[in-house]
Amino acid sequence: GGRDMMQQGLQLAQKPHVVISTPGRLADHIDSGTNFSLKKIRYLVLDEADRLLEDNFGDQLKQIFAALPKKRQTLLFSATMTDTLRELENIALNKPFLWQPDAEIATVEQLDQKYVLMPADAKDAYLLHILDKYTDQHSKSLVMIFTQTCKYCQILGMVCRELGFACVALHSMIPQRHRLA
């Protein structure tokens, strides 16, 4: 998504060995009659599979699956094992391979995760205080903050920059050329 459809259509017509796409954009290319075929696809990889199956991607996925050959390997990747993925495992025509780590929590040892219980109406102030304190103590460290919406990501980025934090906000409402930069 976010790039020129015509340019992508020309690239697809060159029969690339690997296609990376959002479900919506690939379905758009199938709809628009872009001169390409998915009939030789041998592997379909779905990242964030739990979100793809739970969010509103059903129609686009059906359209994509109809354009793909029946004989292929489908690989589903997800950081979390949800009921939706378990249901998919049970109803799949070919028994999918499912791997889950033994550990209840799967993270790299160097990752420092914290949970802070705070009043909802003061969460922004707490977050900025924690960020300020952490960056003072760990000046060479990087911090990544995930937000629930594009709007909140943008606002939080603007506030952080205003307070002097070196900050970049990345979300789907930012033009593709800015995200790439």
Side-chain angles (χ1 to χ4, degrees):
R3 292 206 175 159
D4 181 69
M5 283 278 290
M6 294 296 287
Q7 182 64 32
Q8 286 179 341
L10 293 171
Q11 291 171 337
L12 286 169
Q14 294 174 358
K15 300 178 182 176
H17 290 280
V18 177
V19 175
I20 301 170
S21 176
T22 61
R25 180 50 65 103
L26 189 55
D28 284 348
H29 279 291
I30 293 169
D31 271 347
S32 69
T34 300
N35 187 22
F36 77 106
S37 172
L38 297 175
K39 292 299 179 192
K40 291 188 178 183
I41 297 290
R42 292 174 43 200
Y43 304 98
L44 173 65
V45 179
L46 297 175
D47 193 16
E48 302 289 348
D50 57 325
R51 290 196 56 227
L52 289 177
L53 296 169
E54 290 172 354
D55 289 347
N56 297 323
F57 293 107
D59 291 339
Q60 288 125 347
L61 288 174
K62 285 179 188 174
Q63 189 173 10
I64 292 166
F65 290 156
L68 293 169
K70 300 268 186 253
K71 189 174 181 178
R72 68 171 187 278
Q73 183 177 12
T74 301
L75 304 158
L76 305 175
F77 290 87
S78 174
T80 56
M81 186 62 179
T82 64
D83 291 339
T84 307
L85 287 178
R86 283 191 183 90
E87 182 181 325
L88 178 67
E89 180 190 17
N90 293 333
I91 63 172
L93 294 176
N94 299 340
K95 182 87 172 135
F97 173 76
L98 177 65
W99 178 83
Q100 287 182 273
D102 292 336
E104 190 125 336
I105 300 171
T107 60
V108 293
E109 289 181 23
Q110 297 84 1
L111 185 62
D112 185 12
Q113 296 184 90
K114 305 243 188 268
Y115 177 82
V116 180
L117 184 61
M118 64 185 77
D121 59 346
K123 72 176 181 142
D124 295 333
Y126 273 80
L127 174 64
L128 293 169
H129 172 71
I130 291 167
L131 185 60
D132 184 45
K133 198 171 183 179
Y134 184 85
T135 55
D136 277 349
Q137 294 172 358
H138 305 89
S139 60
K140 301 278 187 209
S141 290
L142 300 175
V143 176
M144 188 179 299
I145 301 171
F146 292 91
T147 63
Q148 193 164 358
T149 65
C150 297
K151 181 179 177 181
Y152 183 65
C153 178
Q154 185 67 29
I155 291 169
L156 185 59
M158 291 166 46
V159 169
C160 285
R161 280 190 295 280
E162 190 68 28
L163 293 173
F165 293 105
C167 172
V168 175
L170 290 175
H171 54 77
S172 63
M173 303 302 277
I174 294 174
Q176 183 70 22
R177 68 183 188 284
H178 292 156
R179 282 188 269 160
L180 291 173

